[in-house]
Amino acid sequence: MTQILQSFIGGRWLGAQGAQALRSAINGRPVASTHAEEIDFGEALAHARTVGLANLLAMDFQQRAQRLRALSKYLAEHKEELYAISAHTGATRADSWIDIEGGAGTLAAYAGIGGNELPSGNLVHEGPAMPLGKKGGFAGTHILVPRRGVAVHINAFNFPVWGLLEKWAPSFLAGMPCIGKPATSTSYLTEALVRLMHRSGLLPEGSLQLVIGSTGDLLDRLDGMDVVTFTGSADTAAKLRVHPNVVRQSIPFNAEADSLNCAILAPDVSPDDEEFDLFVKEVAREMTVKSGQKCTAIRRAIVPRQHVDAVAEKLRARLAKTVVGDPAREDVRMGALASHAQQADVAERVRLLMQGAELVYGERDGFAPQGEGVAEGAFFSPTLLLARDPLGNDAVHDIEAFGPVSTLMAYDGLDEALALAARGRGSLVGTLVTKDPATAARAIPIAAAHHGRLLVLDREAAAESTGHGSPLPFLKHGGPGRAGGGEELGGLRAVKHYLQRAALQGSPSMIAAVTGEYMRGAKLNESELHPFRKHFEDLAIGDSLLTHRRTVGEADIVAFGGISGDYFYMHFDEVAAKESPFGKRIAHGYFVLSAAAGLFVSPAPGPVLANYGLDTLRFIKPVGIGDTIRARLTCKRKIDRNKKDANGVGQGVVAWDVEVTNQDGDLVASYDILTLVAKKT
């Protein structure tokens, strides 16, 4: 009996009556069906806005990051359940690795981003704060807070796991409940993923709901606090972008659309160069991985005219060795397209492309998928076309065959190659294969205007390169124009898409209270107890110590120079120093830093465990022989990462603001010092 897929709405699984049959891409047999029951999207949104939002905001950034890490581990432990289902999408094991383990890895990456870059609590201070008045009583800054809306993620068919997780991870981290809508044709794999996540017990109720089938009136019910993201065709993105309610409510809309990405073989590369083979390998890989069903795949391979035939010959040979068929076979390297509808669509687009291009390699060259029952599968031959006059051929820059299809394009001169790249009208990614740094320096600033990401590939990068078509969690994924004009991923940038930025004005004390971060000019908490003697829980923002004074002598400079080996003339040459802008010998900046530490450090064992870094260090004014310095140490920021040491003792991170001043009260050095501080238990 065919499985009836269910939507996960309002905390329950919905669907008992079958509707649309979904067929295996390998053998055409039914895999599952969608459900016939209509979804009440009013209920779904109400559940997200009340239950989901409350559960997410009951945690802070750090706790949500921990939950992502645990979910990543859980999915990795149960990945084989997903691999077994993924084969029906036509994907090989290697293809599914990108989708399944790439998705789990993205959760882990965002767990690290949250743990390392976000504070405790649910407010990000996007400083620094700045004075807005002459007397120091009025200041301003920016803050980021959860939007308190719902994120609707509409995904494409090609990455049923990664496609959901790469959007869900940053929205979850930002405290935004999500309604995910996978493409119907491969939704059986996304449903299995969400069931796993639900089964883990790690998913806060209401934080993720799943739509199988149509979105109905969902977009009509959204408001200005919500967010819509879309991955798919440029045509569908254009329609959704102008949805009346999306426009009326000014709902943020992010599109990541298919694009005619290119790879350029630079004119400095000859057939004898290693880079020549790297280019061929990259184009062939992008044609065959996921059967070419990647929005980042190379659709246009731009090659110097004198090398077109050589590239074509090598690509033909490489594609001829690619075994296509049932991914269950060990010898198969390329599977099927995701659906029979996709198979028909790619065939039609190849037909249109061939009206202005010649066939270099395709079905005529002995295409024979391997495996039992594959005659009913959605297989498509790797297809390489050649446009000898690409400047006079609009189709190759407008029509995308979303499968194992690429077109070679001949060019004369680098400027023409860059003009051809721009004809894509905005792409997610482009690759330049060159061995000449000057060529890269010339081409990349021009190409960057039309691409969201650029890879410069040479023999040095090749050993570690993740390849043309691989979006990474820490780098932006998106592109201008036809590619959607939006962006996803990009590390912390993606989280900020789901937060609301607001300008904040007030007194330094009020700004410090709101942001949980000390601002100079705010009220200080001074007591006889040294701040370094306080455990993490007992420290308050604004706890401060003003140290005793120290006069800098010539012996200090000489001793520090001897220890450090720094004999720079400004510290030791009396004549040269007098002729400098300072007019005198001055102390080493790092001596001032060290002397300040000697002034504020409490030497006895205590809660402060370690100093692991400095931020924002600036030497403001020179310290000369005879100057007297002192330091003010103030608790600036606390982050509870909910971690314990080997002995089970909890610890947190504390950032301290340090101001070093001279005898006239002038600031001579300024920085933040970062420490690990133990908790009481």
Side-chain angles (χ1 to χ4, degrees), residues 30-96:
V31 175
S33 72
T34 61
H35 63 78
E37 292 86 347
E38 291 187 1
I39 297 172
D40 183 344
F41 287 107
E43 176 195 1
L45 286 168
H47 187 69
R49 297 190 201 285
T50 53
V51 178
L53 189 62
N55 285 333
L56 285 171
L57 296 186
M59 300 185 287
D60 64 16
F61 291 117
Q62 292 290 318
Q63 291 166 328
R64 291 194 292 273
Q66 287 186 319
R67 196 64 64 93
L68 286 180
R69 183 172 287 107
L71 269 167
S72 172
K73 182 179 179 182
Y74 184 87
L75 291 179
E77 291 170 348
H78 295 80
K79 62 186 179 183
E80 294 303 328
E81 296 180 37
L82 299 177
Y83 273 115
I85 300 170
S86 182
H88 291 299
T89 70
T92 65
R93 178 86 183 191
D95 294 337
S96 296

Side-chain angles (χ1 to χ4, degrees), residues 137-209:
F138 189 55
T141 192
H142 290 89
I143 59 173
L144 293 163
V145 297
R147 292 181 61 89
R148 296 179 181 269
V150 180
V152 175
H153 298 316
I154 303 171
N155 296 313
F157 66 82
N158 50 340
F159 289 102
V161 175
W162 178 85
L164 179 88
L165 295 179
E166 63 98 7
K167 293 177 180 177
W168 179 76
S171 54
F172 178 85
L173 195 53
M176 201 168 197
C178 161
I179 296 175
K181 191 272 186 253
T184 300
S185 61
T186 55
S187 58
Y188 51 85
L189 181 53
T190 312
E191 194 232 36
L193 166 70
V194 175
R195 285 189 182 277
L196 261 182
M197 295 170 73
H198 183 251
R199 194 175 78 199
S200 73
L202 296 166
L203 201 63
E205 186 178 351
S207 62
L208 174 61
Q209 298 180 78

Side-chain angles (χ1 to χ4, degrees), residues 93-108:
R93 178 86 183 191
D95 294 337
S96 296
W97 182 91
I98 300 170
D99 190 29
I100 295 169
E101 298 190 47
T106 298
L107 294 190

Side-chain angles (χ1 to χ4, degrees), residues 286-369:
E286 289 301 311
M287 289 179 66
T288 55
V289 169
K290 289 288 290 185
S291 300
Q293 298 170 111
K294 296 197 301 179
C295 54
T296 53
I298 296 170
R299 304 300 179 194
R300 300 176 300 149
I302 303 173
V303 178
R305 188 172 300 278
Q306 66 270 27
H307 298 321
V308 162
D309 291 332
V311 169
E313 183 180 348
K314 285 203 168 188
L315 273 171
R316 274 183 57 90
R318 198 172 190 97
L319 294 173
K321 295 178 181 178
T322 303
V323 179
V324 181
D326 186 345
R329 290 174 56 115
E330 291 187 2
D331 60 335
V332 165
R333 293 295 175 266
M334 189 181 107
L337 298 181
S339 68
H340 294 77
Q342 186 65 16
Q343 182 188 43
D345 182 75
V346 172
E348 172 60 18
R349 290 172 184 266
V350 168
R351 186 187 67 79
L352 294 173
L353 286 170
M354 286 190 61
Q355 293 177 6
E358 59 189 84
L359 182 66
V360 175
Y361 184 88
E363 187 175 4
R364 70 182 184 193
D365 296 287
F367 179 59

Side-chain angles (χ1 to χ4, degrees), residues 406-552:
S406 188
T407 302
L408 286 173
M409 300 181 182
Y411 76 84
D412 299 297
L414 184 59
D415 289 339
E416 186 173 301
L418 293 170
L420 288 170
R423 288 281 294 274
R425 294 179 289 115
S427 298
L428 293 169
V429 57
T431 288
L432 174 67
V433 178
T434 180
K435 61 179 183 178
D436 179 22
T439 297
R442 177 185 166 195
I444 293 300
I446 297 172
H450 304 282
H451 295 81
R453 175 168 58 88
L454 289 163
L455 167 66
V456 181
L457 185 61
D458 64 359
R459 66 192 69 185
E460 182 180 348
E464 296 182 301
S465 172
T466 52
H468 167 98
S470 298
L472 298 173
F474 298 99
L475 294 177
K476 167 193 166 182
H477 177 48
R482 176 183 174 131
E487 61 176 62
E488 299 170 358
L489 301 177
L492 192 58
R493 292 175 180 83
V495 181
K496 290 183 177 181
H497 292 325
Y498 302 101
L499 299 173
Q500 174 63 35
R501 179 179 288 105
L504 174 64
Q505 296 170 288
S507 68
S509 295
M510 289 298 180
I511 288 178
V514 171
T515 62
E517 183 171 312
Y518 170 73
M519 176 187 177
R520 290 178 186 174
K523 293 179 181 178
L524 300 169
N525 310 316
E526 295 182 291
S527 69
E528 293 184 1
L529 182 62
H530 193 295
F532 277 17
R533 313 310 306 163
K534 296 182 179 181
H535 287 85
F536 183 82
E537 302 97 321
D538 296 332
L539 272 170
I541 303 301
D543 283 355
S544 186
L545 169 72
L546 182 63
T547 71
H548 59 281
R549 298 178 178 86
R550 172 174 178 169
T551 299
V552 178

